[in-house]
Amino acid sequence: MDDKNSFKQNLQAQIDGYAARLDALTARLSEAATQSSAEIEQQVQVLRAKLKEARGKLGHVVETGPDAWADVKEGFDKAWQELKTAFEKANKRL
């Protein structure tokens, strides 16, 4: 269970970090030119959806029993990688 607790705490900290980065991107949206605002807003919406998905997966990590832990962790790892990739793409575009 220690491994699961450590995993959960680490992921919660990372999700919080990405939420802060998303807030910063949203703030930059208000400063962007009107033409690029639509593109930035679209990226923000994608990132919000990915972040929401990661939070949902984290909830599954918390609720899962030891027998299903490996499967849940694998699913979360995939969602987490998608979130990281989406943030990297958004940062490059902005």
Side-chain angles (χ1 to χ4, degrees), residues 30-45:
S30 65
E31 299 170 2
T34 305
Q35 195 169 29
S36 63
S37 289
E39 181 182 345
I40 295 169
E41 181 63 31
Q42 181 182 11
Q43 288 294 315
V44 166
Q45 294 304 320

Side-chain angles (χ1 to χ4, degrees), residues 56-71:
K57 297 280 185 182
L58 180 59
H60 290 331
V61 167
V62 172
E63 296 168 359
T64 190
D67 53 337
W69 165 239
D71 291 336

Side-chain angles (χ1 to χ4, degrees), residues 41-58:
E41 181 63 31
Q42 181 182 11
Q43 288 294 315
V44 166
Q45 294 304 320
V46 168
L47 293 173
R48 284 190 198 285
K50 296 287 184 189
L51 192 56
K52 183 178 179 180
E53 181 182 354
R55 283 188 173 127
K57 297 280 185 182
L58 180 59

